[in-house]
Amino acid sequence: MEISTFFYIIFSSLQIGLIYALVSIGFNLLYSSTKIINVAYGEFIAIGAYVAYWLFVLYAIPPPVSIFVAVAVLILISLPLYQILLKRLLESKSVEYIEIWGVIITFGLSIMLQGFMAFVWSAQSKGYSYLDQVVEIFSLTFILNKILTIIISAIMVLVLYYLLFRTDLGISMRSVIQDPELAETIGLEMNKIFLLSFLLSSIIAGIAGVLLSMSFEIHPFMGSTYLILAFIVTAVGGIGNPIGSFIGGLLLGALNVLIGYTIGPGLNLFIIYALLVALLIIRPKGLMGGG
Amino acid sequence: MRRILKVDGVSKRFGGIKALDNVSVELEKDTIVGLMGPNGSGKMTLFNIISGILKPDKGTIVFNNTKIDGLAPNKIATLGISRTFQEIRLINDLTVLENTMISALQHFKMDYNKAAEHSLKALETVGLEKKSEWFVRDLNLYEKKLIEMARAIAAMPKLILVDEIMAGLTEEEQSRVARIMNELREYGITIFWIEHVIRAMFKLLKVDKIIVLNWGKKLAEGSPEEILHNKEVIEAYLGKSSMRGG
């Protein structure tokens, strides 16, 4: 393998892996704190991608700026959704009830959002070119928008790390994830933590969508791929473990690129699933899930 | 008025089992009140009802002139009731300091650094300040019990429900825990204390009053001396045959 190919693989792995890590942290955070499996999570990613696309195409607003709009849009969608549908579900405090009805509600929402996006913006794939110039660093060539994606994703991961591990909200969330009954007995306002977890998860999805739109084509059904990847990374990294999701995301990103480079991109998901099944047989709680 | 907690005629059923049957309890400020009874007598159910984890089927609970039965656990905690658990409940992935901070952050709306400073003082009270950055999973049973105490103290409660804190500890560790509980009373915190280690309840601490439950009902209430010589209590713990055998 040439040195330039090696760096290309590292670079692409980092770009995709960091986005996978972001997507998975958001998905994992919501499930582990509320027990809601948000099947519409992928559509939230697609909405973020469409926000970036339309703002760029219509008003030439660069995607890094669109991130703020995507965050606002996702909050506007998530807030009433939580208040009307999910809040009452969570008040039941029954894990089985929340899991089953959470899937049913968000599955319905997923279909509605897909239908809405296909109706309004058509089912055709769309894309735009932003910072697609090539730069040369140490005689290796890189595309600018991919460098930007890595920088923004890395900043986001650091912000999330700070939020989860260095703030009162993070301590509260991690307490709720591990022992909700204890957290409530100590004095935590569960509804507030659930709402903030849902908003944070939606915001992460929106930002990931913006970042994905910079390098990949977007369409109303793109979300399902990322939902599946979020499932896989959560299973690999361990439920309730954001650091596990981060490492799992990077691993999956690298695997994706390596399979694409060595075997070809068509078999990516098949091989990843096979490896996941093998891993879960050996370590049912995932790589970072304590055996 | 010196009364801080009044449990009045509380009953709780789980299916066909009467876990608590018309139990009434009163606690005065700055006292240590023991709660005893054989397994299944309803002690933990009473603690769970006071802290809001369970709702009573009947009866009322007034804490510091506020009716608390039916309130959510977090509201009750905010009013000034903290608790420890028989089976230690800490957040394993948080550090000792973070575990202690959870309650401080909720109750006083402090920023992160102030809450850390405040919680460090609670850890000093139990002598664990040097291990504040350790993860709780790396500590032993005694230290974990102290963290539960520190977490309760950090909330600056008026009443702490202490659940079998002495179980599994060495005599020396029990004496140290007893000293901490005495200090808390001196700070003006009332302690309601479930304990099976009889020596701790009767010798290590000056307990003001002991309440004994049996089969969900209040069997006896009195000073440690009175309880120690109460025939019904001895019978409940040891059975009728041992009474006859002397």
Side-chain angles (χ1 to χ4, degrees):
Chain A
M1 186 189 290
E2 284 181 30
I3 190 84
S4 60
T5 311
F6 174 75
F7 276 108
Y8 166 75
I9 289 173
I10 297 283
F11 181 75
S12 298
S13 302
L14 209 54
Q15 183 217 352
I16 295 171
L18 279 169
I19 297 181
Y20 287 178
L22 264 185
V23 166
S24 311
I25 291 170
F27 181 81
N28 197 349
L29 200 66
L30 179 68
Y31 175 70
S32 48
S33 57
T34 64
K35 300 294 171 260
I36 288 175
I37 298 168
N38 184 6
V39 183
Y41 189 68
E43 280 60 55
F44 288 4
I45 294 174
I47 289 169
Y50 271 109
V51 167
Y53 170 79
W54 285 114
L55 287 177
F56 187 80
V57 171
L58 296 176
Y59 307 107
I61 293 174
V65 178
S66 302
I67 284 178
F68 297 100
V69 184
V71 167
V73 169
L74 264 306
I75 289 175
L76 283 175
I77 293 171
S78 304
L79 210 53
L81 180 68
Y82 177 85
Q83 294 292 354
I84 296 165
L85 291 175
L86 302 179
K87 189 179 168 191
R88 288 180 65 188
L89 180 67
L90 289 164
E91 278 168 358
S92 74
K93 292 186 181 175
S94 154
V95 173
E96 291 83 6
Y97 188 78
I98 292 168
E99 279 183 339
I100 292 167
W101 281 99
V103 166
I104 293 170
I105 290 170
T106 57
F107 186 59
L109 182 73
S110 160
I111 293 169
M112 280 168 61
L113 288 173
Q114 281 182 5
F116 175 80
M117 287 186 281
F119 178 72
V120 178
W121 300 314
S122 91
Q124 274 187 332
S125 296
K126 293 177 167 47
Y128 60 93
S129 297
Y130 172 70
L131 290 185
D132 53 359
Q133 302 92 324
V134 171
V135 287
E136 202 176 300
I137 303 170
F138 301 117
S139 60
L140 295 166
T141 54
F142 300 99
I143 300 171
L144 259 181
N145 68 32
K146 292 193 175 185
I147 296 177
L148 188 64
T149 303
I150 290 175
I151 292 170
I152 296 175
S153 313
I155 290 171
M156 274 308 301
V157 167
L158 288 175
V159 168
L160 282 174
Y161 178 83
Y162 181 81
L163 190 75
L164 288 174
F165 292 90
R166 288 287 175 270
T167 67
D168 52 343
L169 176 65
I171 291 181
S172 304
M173 278 184 177
R174 287 189 290 144
S175 308
V176 171
I177 286 169
Q178 287 209 6
D179 192 340
E181 188 182 89
L182 170 70
E184 192 174 17
T185 311
I186 292 169
L188 265 73
E189 212 176 310
M190 302 300 276
N191 184 42
K192 189 174 123 192
I193 303 294
F194 289 154
L195 172 64
L196 290 173
S197 300
F198 187 61
L199 289 181
L200 185 59
S201 168
S202 305
I203 288 169
I204 293 170
I207 294 172
V210 173
L211 295 175
L212 285 165
S213 76
M214 286 162 61
S215 306
F216 301 97
E217 289 202 319
I218 65 173
H219 54 86
F221 312 104
M222 65 184 276
S224 54
T225 309
Y226 297 101
L227 178 70
I228 291 167
L229 290 170
F231 266 121
I232 295 172
V233 175
T234 302
V236 171
I239 292 166
N241 185 347
I243 293 176
S245 275
F246 172 70
I247 294 169
L250 287 182
L251 280 176
L252 197 70
L255 202 60
N256 217 345
V257 173
L258 274 175
I259 295 168
Y261 176 74
T262 51
I263 303 168
L267 285 173
N268 280 16
L269 274 181
F270 174 79
I271 295 174
I272 286 170
Y273 262 122
L275 288 173
L276 173 75
V277 171
L279 173 77
L280 291 182
I281 289 170
I282 303 163
R283 290 183 68 88
K285 289 183 179 173
L287 269 184
M288 313 276 291
Chain B
M1 185 188 280
R2 292 207 23 93
R3 189 173 64 211
I4 191 164
L5 181 80
K6 185 178 181 186
V7 176
D8 192 11
V10 161
S11 298
K12 180 75 186 174
R13 267 183 178 278
F14 296 109
I17 299 165
K18 252 188 179 175
L20 283 179
D21 186 7
N22 200 27
V23 170
S24 296
V25 168
E26 285 194 26
L27 266 60
E28 293 198 344
K29 284 179 185 165
D30 314 340
T31 58
I32 297 179
V33 177
L35 181 61
M36 291 174 59
N39 285 333
S41 58
K43 305 181 298 292
M44 196 151 71
T45 305
L46 182 59
F47 267 27
N48 284 341
I49 286 177
I50 295 171
S51 56
I53 293 174
L54 295 174
K55 309 272 177 256
D57 299 332
K58 236 174 68 185
T60 56
I61 304 170
V62 175
F63 172 68
N64 236 4
N65 300 322
T66 306
K67 191 170 170 293
I68 60 166
D69 51 276
L71 289 185
N74 65 311
K75 297 276 184 244
I76 292 173
T78 316
L79 288 171
I81 299 181
S82 291
R83 73 172 288 183
T84 71
F85 293 86
Q86 182 186 349
E87 308 227 333
I88 295 167
R89 289 177 75 172
L90 296 165
I91 310 291
N92 277 330
D93 288 348
L94 298 186
T95 64
V96 170
L97 183 64
E98 285 173 335
N99 264 284
T100 316
M101 277 168 71
I102 310 170
S103 49
L105 285 165
Q106 296 309 311
H107 295 282
F108 311 116
K109 308 292 174 207
M110 294 173 177
D111 67 34
Y112 189 91
N113 292 331
K114 272 199 176 157
E117 205 178 301
H118 169 84
S119 304
L120 208 53
K121 281 183 194 151
L123 284 172
E124 274 170 23
T125 310
V126 301
L128 267 186
E129 71 279 9
K130 285 183 182 153
K131 293 196 171 176
S132 64
E133 292 306 319
W134 285 46
F135 281 100
V136 295
R137 56 174 174 258
D138 300 325
L139 301 184
N140 62 34
L141 176 75
Y142 167 63
E143 291 167 325
K144 285 180 179 174
K145 292 200 170 199
L146 291 184
I147 301 169
E148 280 211 328
M149 281 300 273
R151 182 178 64 200
I153 296 165
M156 296 185 73
K158 298 178 184 83
L159 168 67
I160 302 184
L161 310 175
V162 178
D163 197 348
E164 293 202 34
I165 195 162
M166 301 295 185
L169 302 186
T170 64
E171 287 194 4
E172 195 191 329
E173 288 166 347
Q174 286 173 1
S175 301
R176 274 186 259 159
V177 171
R179 271 203 298 277
I180 293 166
M181 286 168 69
N182 254 331
E183 271 179 44
L184 294 179
R185 171 168 49 188
E186 282 163 26
Y187 290 150
I189 297 172
T190 306
I191 296 175
F192 198 15
W193 175 29
I194 294 177
E195 193 53 71
H196 274 305
V197 179
I198 304 292
R199 169 185 164 273
M201 184 83 77
F202 288 91
K203 287 192 174 171
L204 292 181
L205 272 165
K206 191 187 165 300
V207 174
D208 298 279
K209 180 168 80 172
I210 293 175
I211 293 161
V212 184
L213 297 181
N214 194 27
W215 298 112
K217 289 186 175 182
K218 187 158 82 177
L219 184 70
E221 180 173 349
S223 68
E225 191 65 19
E226 286 165 349
I227 295 297
L228 207 56
H229 297 102
N230 185 307
K231 282 183 181 173
E232 283 180 306
V233 173
I234 298 168
E235 198 179 298
Y237 266 90
L238 303 173
K240 281 188 179 174
S241 57
S242 62
M243 288 288 292
R244 281 196 295 273

